[in-house]
Amino acid sequence: MSKFGKAAAAAGVLAAAQMGEAVYFYRRTMKRNQAKTERTIKMAGTDWNQYMELIQARKEYMLAQPHKEVSIHSEDGLKLHATYFPNGNEKKVVICFHGYTSQGMSDFIGLSDYYLKRGYSMLLPDARAHGKSEGEYIGFGCLDRKDALGWIHWVMEQCKEDVQILLHGISMGGATVLMTSGLNLPKQVKGIISDCGFTSPKEVFTHVLHNMYHLPSVPLISITDWMNRKKAGYGMDECNAAREVRKAKVPILLIHGDADTFVPYQMCEEIYKNCASEKKKLIIKGAAHAESYYKDREAYEKALDQLVDQVIVTR
């Protein structure tokens, strides 16, 4: 075999290996039946055992409140599920968006104490390809922002035109609400809270590949982007929270832990810098991924109080 032939053969073997590697990571990251909660918790590195007593107590209180299962259909025909906690006169509602591989009734157990005891109704959707919602491919906020708009309109139909709505998201849910801020939101949406939200799937995947797998992002990300456009219908940087907030009109509160190794808090700084609407940020020292509320509940709730006092009219 000539030198050219050997080089071509070697290049072919390398390309096949890279494609196989990309397919492997794509499936375990983007497909609902292969993206595992246990793996996400391990990668995030947060020690939840230290908070289990508090979480369990608040879960018991939460589940003792009246609630029901509800559903809508997405623009692309998926049946999406949520749990709704009607509370007070249903004129103040927070829609809560959970993180990657989680579900609606998981990530806001702790924060339910804050909202329910202040008279907020809570809507906790399962993101597409999560929980009881349909879907094969995870939306990473890019698709979920349109689903969020559907849930906003569901709340408006349920609670009438004078309802006041907050959007609160954690991790992937935090990215979702920030990406939603760039849409033409109804006037009923008064404020947005993003806790450890990322900028884009591309940027958070690049971070994970570099820092957790010690792999180069090239050409894995470009191959993954191609596969995701073909299978899920969106590009890995098609929707970027740092770009979407340039169009934001409602006040935004950004919260992040400075010890977050899964979604680095520098992403919060980039989003804050780009945000066009009124904005505040809270960086919790020593908080790992999605740990900020539990690490410093006083500071977290004070920041929520300041936003709520600003945007929600008490009747």
Side-chain angles (χ1 to χ4, degrees), residues 1-11:
M1 183 181 292
S2 66
K3 289 183 179 180
F4 177 79
K6 290 179 179 179

Side-chain angles (χ1 to χ4, degrees), residues 22-36 39 100-101 128-130 135-143 172 201-202 205 224-225 227-229 231-236:
V23 169
Y24 169 76
F25 279 106
Y26 180 78
R27 287 177 175 170
R28 76 200 305 259
T29 303
M30 302 299 296
K31 293 193 71 174
R32 77 175 299 157
N33 61 345
Q34 296 189 37
K36 304 297 183 182
R39 185 165 63 236
Y100 174 63
T101 69
R128 60 172 55 216
H130 289 75
E136 183 178 3
Y137 293 99
I138 295 171
F140 277 99
C142 299
L143 300 181
M172 187 181 79
K202 176 184 178 181
F205 288 178
T224 300
D225 181 78
M227 287 191 291
N228 205 53
R229 288 180 185 276
K231 294 179 180 295
Y234 68 96
M236 303 302 286

Side-chain angles (χ1 to χ4, degrees), residues 28-270:
R28 76 200 305 259
T29 303
M30 302 299 296
K31 293 193 71 174
R32 77 175 299 157
N33 61 345
Q34 296 189 37
K36 304 297 183 182
T37 304
E38 297 79 10
R39 185 165 63 236
T40 302
I41 293 173
K42 183 177 180 180
M43 291 172 66
T46 307
D47 178 14
W48 291 110
N49 291 327
Q50 60 187 311
Y51 305 118
M52 277 303 154
E53 185 176 348
L54 173 65
I55 291 171
Q56 187 57 40
R58 293 195 172 181
K59 183 177 182 179
E60 290 177 4
Y61 174 82
M62 184 182 188
L63 292 178
Q65 310 311 306
H67 58 280
K68 61 183 179 180
E69 297 187 64
V70 299
S71 65
I72 62 171
H73 282 86
S74 66
E75 285 187 357
D76 53 347
L78 299 177
K79 185 177 182 180
L80 303 176
H81 169 272
T83 307
Y84 181 56
F85 288 77
N87 192 30
N89 60 7
E90 295 188 276
K91 294 307 177 186
K92 299 187 300 182
V93 180
V94 58
I95 310 178
C96 304
F97 298 89
H98 65 77
Y100 174 63
T101 69
S102 188
Q103 55 186 321
M105 286 296 291
S106 293
D107 290 4
F108 285 84
I109 291 171
L111 278 158
S112 66
D113 184 79
Y114 177 88
Y115 284 117
L116 292 175
K117 290 182 178 178
R118 286 167 174 77
Y120 282 83
S121 298
M122 298 182 72
L123 180 69
L124 300 106
D126 291 339
R128 60 172 55 216
H130 289 75
K132 296 180 181 178
S133 288
E134 294 179 347
E136 183 178 3
Y137 293 99
I138 295 171
F140 277 99
C142 299
L143 300 181
D144 305 300
R145 64 180 184 149
K146 294 183 179 179
D147 300 338
L149 199 57
W151 286 117
I152 291 168
H153 286 291
W154 181 91
V155 168
M156 291 167 57
E157 292 173 6
Q158 173 78 23
C159 304
K160 309 306 179 188
E161 291 294 315
D162 59 344
V163 67
Q164 301 177 90
I165 299 172
L166 295 175
L167 307 180
H168 193 153
I170 296 175
S171 191
M172 187 181 79
T176 296
V177 297
L178 293 173
M179 292 175 184
T180 304
S181 75
L183 300 175
N184 185 22
L185 295 175
K187 64 181 181 180
Q188 286 80 0
V189 177
K190 303 300 184 181
I192 292 173
I193 305 104
S194 173
D195 183 340
C196 62
F198 53 76
T199 49
S200 75
K202 176 184 178 181
E203 292 180 0
V204 78
F205 288 178
T206 297
H207 169 77
V208 169
L209 284 170
H210 287 171
N211 292 275
M212 297 185 181
Y213 291 99
H214 308 292
L215 291 171
S217 58
V218 179
L220 283 179
I221 293 296
S222 58
I223 296 172
T224 300
D225 181 78
W226 173 79
M227 287 191 291
N228 205 53
R229 288 180 185 276
K230 184 178 179 180
K231 294 179 180 295
Y234 68 96
M236 303 302 286
D237 196 50
E238 184 174 312
C239 190
N240 186 306
R243 294 196 300 265
E244 292 304 308
V245 295
R246 295 173 188 169
K247 299 177 281 186
K249 294 180 174 62
V250 301
I252 293 178
L253 169 62
L254 298 168
I255 302 172
H256 219 111
D258 70 357
D260 192 336
T261 58
F262 196 41
V263 177
Y265 83 94
Q266 288 84 356
M267 289 191 180
C268 176
E269 299 289 357
E270 182 182 353

